[in-house]
Amino acid sequence: MASKGLAPTLPAMSKLGKAYEPKDVEGPLYEWWEKQGFFHAEPDADGQPYSIVIPPPNVTGSLHVGHALDNTLQDALIRRARMRGLNAVWLPGTDHAGIATQNVVERQLASEGISRHDLGREAFIERVWQWREESGGVILQQLRRLGASCDWEREAFTFDEQRSRAVREVFVTLHEQGLIYRGYRLINWCPRCLSALSDIEVDHIDEPGELAYLRYPQMDGGDGVVVATTRAETMLGDTGVAVHPDDERYRHLVGTTLRLPLLDRELPVVADDHVDPAFGTGAVKVTPAHDPNDYEIGQRHGLETIDIMTDEAAISAAGGPYAGLDRFAARERVKADLDALGLLVRVEQRVHSVGHCSRCGTVVEPRLSDQWFVNVGPLASKAIEAVRDGRTRFVPERNAKGFLNWLENLHDWCISRQLWWGHRIPAWYDAEGHVHVLREDPTPEDEAERGLVRDPDVLDTWFSSALWPFTTMGWPDRTPELETWYPTSVLVTGYDINTFWVSRMLMMGLHFMGGVEPFGTVFNHGMVRDRHGKKMSKSFGNTIDPLDLIDEYGADALRFALIRAATLGQDVPLAEEWVEGARRFANKLWNAANLVLLLTGDEGPALTAEGPPAAGLALEDRWILSRLEAARAAVDEDLDGYDFAGAARSLYHFIWDEYCDWYLELAKLREDRESKRVLLAVLDAVLRLLHPLMPFVTEEIWRTLCAAHESDSLVVAAWPSTDPARRDLRAETEFDALRDVVTELRRFRADHRLPTAARIDVIAVAPGERRTELEAGLDGIRRLSGVGQWIFADDPSRAAGGPLGKVPVTGADLFVPLAGLLDLDEERERLTRELDKAKAELARAEGKLANAGFVD
RNA sequence: GGGGGCGUAGCUCAGCGGAAGAGCGCCCGCCUUACAAGCGGGAGGUCGCAGGUUCGACACCUGCCGCCCCCACCA
């Protein structure tokens, strides 16, 4: 840890307030942590390396619940790793988010009544940088509010100088290796963003539409064929008709020529295996410039490609009389005109899948265009190997399947975007149209001499984020950071970006880092949903702002609520009440600490330092220490397996139901040194175990009660080790028996509506050993169950001299003198019910024992 | 058309081969000096349906039914 040399700025807290007030605690604590340099790591420090790179949020974005979950989980992992003495680093940063950010700024401009073109490229980019300056720090500040313990001295940005250098190097290298190429291919085009998109940036949504059947007559006037289409306007770009080679219906037409209505273009009829004879009419209109399949068919049969659309998806000059019409208007017009000619055979209503731009929702247009592509085949096969070999494993494991399936069917990745905000493609065209991909920018003289013009396009944002695991560590330089922390230990992300991001990081990491995978484990958490498991979205109006929740309930409460719901691989439902519940838990812990403080006086730190006592322990001491060990083991096991919810459950249950409800209550009766030491030892351990999940409350309490020095922090305190030998099953069994007595007596009171204040007396009949046990626990039992007089007797009736109520507990008979307190008939009824239940249980047990198989 | 997930208490979910659990909600009783952001007690489930495996199934297998995701170029 590299201290900044600043003195601790936190005041000594000798007392805890009445209730936990996150607002008073979180800000100062975080600031102190950061100043102390607790989050900073150096590659040459001691400890086994442990590293995580943050999925970089969009620079101009704001924290949403998905980020809150993702980063809470990463923080929990990093904090635990740090406490375990690993050389743990969490690398933070942001993504320049090409299209997303550009769209935001364009909207700003639009509100001022101008477009980016009015500004010009340079001024526009300047404007985006300016916007980044204004908003770029926001989300990182918000992460601090969450408690994220990132190494802020290592903050990176996908578009900063260092990362840009890496992007350039990767692009040029891949180009040299023939893995990046420029091609005239069919791509997804967004007519609103005016840019190409990769396949995964297109969302397919089922929408109702019309399947129109069009008749294309033969050139000689014969009937020709009927084809079907949902995009009638594309017929303007038709350059052929395809049928299946074995289709008897059309065999005679193959090789003949049809006439495209409206434009009177000649259309050859070709035979192609791709055509499904069973679909529609079995004849397909072929529009090579506007449909991926048709493009393939066109290629195979040498058909002409005619691009009939403008950038804005209006009909171009190639569309003859339809030129200038928007594509949807053209669709209707074409149908109407064909109808008028008697060539619109029929129209069917049909739901079909329509591609939308994932960024702006506009219907994308498949379009032929000159773009840059990554030849992903060779890269993907290495990634597939890494996953198959288990060098990179998925948690939960099942996610690997879909991931592999996707990688195996990958098309080349279109990486050029017709945007301004992003890494400029390092390619220049000379006067003859030859492409030059250059590692260094050409000099102005060179440029002038050879007539070089730079490619105007920028790279897909995901191109630079694909390099994140090694560019954050300084690549392409050979740095100590890379040496120490690459590959990263685990990647934490929602399953929704496995394709966008994880796959690309895997491919690039393996390719550029000497075949070493960028992460050993991909931990996929679920998506945050609303209380009913519905997706959160602005249009449903069911989104929750995590910052509001932090304001109201505290960061720990939000974190704990998320973690508690983060069951392995399942989606994570979140509702305000859940967060409220988590706040109560934080407060419960706070008040438990208050009580411990009260019971131990000012001796806290001194007693803690002594550790848990080994001798002179009461039963409840041995019990709680044993239960602590159980909780400790469970937490380790759960966190090792990324079962955060499991760890949260174990701690919640241990703290509330065991430590508070039983141990603290019993400790109130005692004043011996052992009990104080156990009180503190358990609290200390529990705070450590809970710290990765709830860093703020735990730190505040720990510094007050457990820390030996003002400068001590839980952030860098040691993680409790587990030791199965510390379990004391005998103590647990014995204590359970006492608890059973208390519970039964309490139930007896409640069943009979006995006033809380009223003492009840107990006459106990118990055999020797059992009697000894009960006597040992008597003080506790009486306190917790409100018993006044307790006597042991062989003949309870005589001892009481009146009606008795029997309280069933294991190994003993307890009787409560009723003294006219309750209705005897009612009591008899209640006991009959219990007897029946017991008989049924007995029968079941005997049945089992009579069964040889069971006994074996 | 493939792949996956889920159907357990009113709601959201754990459990995943040996006597049905949690949080919230609900009912009853408590200001018992750590905590009413609390304490004690309680009601409420033929664990989606039908078969099968097993001495034993909520858990394993098979088939249905119902929700929900992801992927895919059905003109």
Side-chain angles (χ1 to χ4, degrees):
Chain A
M1 129 184 66
S3 170
K4 280 302 183 56
L6 294 169
T9 54
L10 278 185
M13 302 283 286
S14 61
K15 257 190 190 160
L16 299 172
K18 171 100 173 133
Y20 176 55
E21 298 295 346
K23 271 199 171 102
D24 301 340
V25 168
E26 293 175 354
L29 269 185
Y30 194 94
E31 209 176 303
W32 180 67
W33 288 335
E34 200 177 341
K35 276 197 187 127
Q36 290 298 101
F38 293 146
F39 305 155
H40 181 66
E42 285 293 340
D44 58 0
D46 291 341
Q48 194 187 321
Y50 186 92
S51 57
I52 296 180
V53 290
I54 202 170
N58 293 359
V59 237
T60 59
S62 171
L63 196 80
H64 58 65
V65 282
H67 293 126
L69 172 66
D70 190 50
N71 290 291
T72 294
L73 300 181
Q74 290 174 73
D75 192 48
L77 291 171
I78 277 288
R79 283 181 185 269
R80 183 165 84 116
R82 195 152 41 217
M83 291 175 76
R84 291 169 83 191
L86 308 188
N87 185 12
V89 70
W90 185 9
L91 298 163
T94 49
D95 192 286
H96 68 284
I99 296 189
T101 305
Q102 172 157 335
N103 281 352
V104 170
V105 176
E106 283 196 62
R107 269 197 296 276
Q108 289 176 2
L109 292 179
S111 70
E112 295 164 26
I114 51 176
S115 77
R116 65 172 154 132
H117 299 282
D118 298 330
L119 235 50
R121 184 164 188 146
E122 263 178 51
F124 177 78
I125 289 174
E126 192 45 49
R127 175 80 186 236
V128 182
W129 276 106
Q130 195 186 316
W131 167 238
R132 187 203 97 104
E133 292 313 314
E134 288 165 22
S135 60
V138 170
I139 193 155
L140 300 180
Q141 274 317 121
Q142 292 170 333
L143 283 173
R144 286 177 170 89
R145 292 211 50 204
L146 231 208
S149 60
C150 303
D151 186 348
W152 297 110
E153 292 175 43
R154 301 182 180 280
E155 186 186 325
F157 177 45
T158 54
F159 202 19
D160 61 20
E161 193 277 329
Q162 166 74 44
R163 262 46 65 174
S164 297
R165 198 153 61 83
V167 165
R168 178 91 173 238
E169 177 61 29
V170 165
F171 187 97
V172 175
T173 304
L174 287 176
H175 183 259
E176 284 166 355
Q177 295 169 335
L179 293 172
I180 280 183
Y181 65 92
R182 187 167 168 79
Y184 185 64
R185 307 259 236 103
L186 203 81
I187 46 87
N188 306 292
W189 179 262
C190 174
R192 217 254 4 136
C193 299
L194 297 178
S195 177
L197 303 172
S198 67
D199 291 347
I200 48 180
E201 286 168 300
V202 177
D203 297 332
H204 292 275
I205 302 171
D206 281 345
E207 286 174 3
E210 287 185 346
L211 184 63
Y213 288 78
L214 320 178
R215 178 174 298 283
Y216 289 2
Q218 284 163 272
M219 285 307 285
D220 60 16
D223 281 350
V225 302
V226 174
V227 295
T229 179
T230 52
R231 296 187 294 152
E233 75 283 8
T234 60
M235 65 88 70
L236 300 171
D238 282 3
T239 56
V241 166
V243 297
H244 193 273
D246 301 335
D247 195 331
E248 295 300 338
R249 294 171 296 175
Y250 300 116
R251 180 162 289 179
H252 64 287
L253 289 174
V254 174
T256 68
T257 305
L258 303 175
R259 180 173 62 80
L260 181 70
L262 305 179
L263 296 181
D264 289 334
R265 185 181 297 145
E266 294 187 11
L267 304 177
V269 178
V270 300
D272 195 284
D273 284 334
H274 175 80
V275 179
D276 176 4
F279 187 90
T281 61
V284 183
K285 61 190 272 306
V286 182
T287 324
H290 294 284
D291 182 277
N293 293 316
D294 292 7
Y295 179 67
E296 300 287 322
I297 295 175
Q299 290 290 98
R300 283 196 286 272
H301 301 279
L303 300 180
E304 202 183 340
T305 59
I306 301 176
D307 186 345
I308 58 156
M309 295 227 187
T310 66
D311 288 353
E312 287 84 6
I315 303 303
S316 69
Y322 299 90
L325 276 181
D326 170 76
R327 55 185 161 165
F328 300 119
R331 183 173 302 171
E332 296 313 312
R333 183 77 69 82
V334 163
K335 279 189 280 193
D337 290 353
L338 286 171
D339 199 18
L341 294 171
L343 296 173
L344 181 63
V345 181
R346 68 177 193 276
V347 168
E348 283 173 7
Q349 297 304 311
R350 186 184 179 81
V351 172
H352 61 131
S353 177
V354 180
H356 291 71
C357 171
S358 63
R359 230 53 253 191
C360 73
T362 305
V363 174
V364 300
E365 205 57 45
R367 195 177 182 215
L368 267 178
S369 166
D370 264 319
Q371 302 288 343
W372 291 91
F373 296 88
V374 173
N375 171 10
V376 291
L379 300 172
S381 56
K382 286 190 228 167
I384 290 167
E385 258 173 56
V387 175
R388 288 235 176 93
D389 295 354
R391 273 138 63 210
T392 291
R393 69 180 186 117
F394 279 77
V395 176
E397 219 169 317
R398 67 177 119 86
N399 289 17
K401 195 170 178 179
F403 185 78
L404 285 173
N405 186 268
W406 185 81
L407 277 178
E408 283 156 2
N409 298 296
L410 211 44
H411 295 227
D412 280 359
W413 173 16
C414 175
I415 50 171
S416 45
R417 297 288 178 276
Q418 288 63 55
L419 307 171
W420 288 349
W421 176 245
H423 298 279
R424 191 94 180 250
I425 289 173
W428 281 259
Y429 303 94
D430 63 24
E432 281 140 36
H434 295 303
V435 189
H436 304 273
V437 171
L438 304 173
R439 201 165 250 110
E440 303 294 337
D441 285 3
T443 60
E445 300 79 54
D446 204 17
E447 227 167 289
E449 193 179 315
R450 298 162 68 191
L452 294 178
V453 176
R454 186 162 190 179
D455 189 308
D457 291 356
V458 302
L459 288 166
D460 181 1
T461 293
W462 297 100
F463 190 89
S464 55
S465 29
L467 318 178
W468 194 241
F470 49 93
T471 56
T472 46
M473 298 186 192
W475 192 92
D477 300 330
R478 299 184 57 160
T479 63
E481 282 79 3
L482 280 169
E483 195 64 41
T484 300
W485 286 312
Y486 188 94
T488 63
S489 309
V490 57
L491 181 81
V492 180
T493 176
Y495 54 75
D496 58 329
I497 52 174
N498 281 355
T499 48
F500 280 96
W501 192 44
V502 179
S503 64
R504 271 91 182 248
M505 282 192 288
L506 197 51
M507 290 192 276
M508 292 297 195
L510 288 164
H511 193 71
F512 284 95
M513 295 302 293
V516 178
E517 68 289 346
F519 23 72
T521 299
V522 177
F523 171 60
N524 278 153
H525 58 250
M527 302 292 110
V528 179
R529 311 235 156 197
D530 75 4
R531 76 185 63 215
H532 297 299
K534 286 237 170 62
K535 196 183 239 172
M536 278 198 187
S537 85
K538 275 167 227 151
S539 53
F540 291 152
N542 62 348
T543 54
I544 304 183
D545 184 343
L547 296 160
D548 290 346
L549 294 174
I550 291 175
D551 283 340
E552 177 137 21
Y553 304 102
D556 288 332
L558 173 60
R559 292 169 62 116
F560 197 75
L562 287 167
I563 282 176
R564 216 174 170 192
T567 306
L568 210 56
Q570 297 305 125
D571 283 341
V572 181
L574 182 71
E576 195 159 335
E577 301 93 282
W578 297 196
V579 185
E580 158 92 40
R583 179 189 62 170
R584 287 198 203 135
F585 176 53
N587 191 239
K588 183 73 179 175
L589 182 66
W590 182 265
N591 279 296
N594 255 328
L595 177 62
V596 173
L597 197 56
L598 203 78
L599 295 173
T600 58
D602 289 334
E603 291 186 82
L607 289 170
T608 306
E610 291 176 34
L617 295 177
L619 174 60
E620 62 263 29
D621 296 334
R622 288 187 286 127
W623 171 76
I624 197 66
L625 289 169
S626 181
R627 294 308 302 152
L628 170 65
E629 180 55 33
R632 187 153 41 191
V635 168
D636 266 333
E637 194 187 327
D638 289 340
L639 291 181
D640 284 344
Y642 301 95
D643 182 1
F644 295 90
R649 254 197 314 277
S650 298
L651 286 167
Y652 183 95
H653 176 252
F654 174 74
I655 291 170
W656 202 310
D657 303 336
E658 300 187 315
Y659 185 61
C660 290
D661 284 356
W662 293 94
Y663 190 77
L664 291 187
E665 290 304 326
L666 291 170
K668 287 177 184 174
L669 289 174
R670 300 169 57 186
E671 285 180 10
D672 57 297
R673 189 167 177 79
E674 283 67 39
S675 87
K676 291 181 186 178
R677 288 175 63 192
V678 172
L679 275 171
L680 277 160
V682 174
L683 182 67
D684 177 75
V686 130
L687 291 171
R688 290 170 196 252
L689 293 170
L690 191 57
H691 182 257
L693 312 187
M694 303 180 96
F696 294 107
V697 232
T698 50
E699 172 80 318
E700 187 69 7
I701 296 171
W702 191 82
R703 282 174 47 76
T704 307
L705 273 93
C706 307
H709 306 99
E710 183 64 21
S711 57
D712 287 350
S713 170
L714 252 192
V715 176
V716 289
W719 182 253
S721 59
T722 54
D723 178 5
R726 287 192 292 236
R727 280 301 285 281
D728 183 343
L729 265 7
R730 176 143 177 235
E732 292 192 25
T733 309
E734 281 179 27
F735 191 80
D736 284 345
L738 291 185
R739 261 203 309 190
D740 184 44
V741 170
V742 171
T743 304
E744 288 304 331
L745 287 170
R746 281 172 174 171
R747 185 173 296 135
F748 181 86
R749 303 181 77 94
D751 284 351
H752 300 299
R753 307 275 147 95
L754 299 178
T756 309
R759 302 287 87 171
I760 56 174
D761 297 330
V762 171
I763 302 167
V765 181
E769 196 180 320
R770 183 76 174 119
R771 176 169 173 168
T772 315
E773 284 172 19
L774 286 170
E775 275 173 336
L778 217 48
D779 284 350
I781 292 171
R782 290 175 55 194
R783 177 188 162 81
L784 298 185
S785 53
V787 168
Q789 209 188 350
W790 178 297
I791 59 169
F792 288 92
D794 292 330
D795 186 347
S797 315
R798 218 179 56 180
L804 291 171
K806 185 172 176 182
V807 180
V809 300
T810 40
D813 290 325
L814 306 184
F815 298 92
V816 177
L818 300 176
L821 271 175
L822 49 90
D823 185 320
L824 290 180
D825 290 333
E826 198 179 297
E827 176 66 359
R828 208 182 323 274
E829 221 174 279
R830 189 178 73 84
L831 290 175
T832 308
R833 250 183 285 128
E834 299 234 357
L835 184 62
D836 290 346
K837 205 169 130 195
K839 277 180 182 164
E841 278 175 27
L842 181 65
R844 208 177 310 150
E846 276 175 346
K848 264 200 274 185
L849 287 169
N851 186 314
F854 176 74
V855 174
D856 284 347

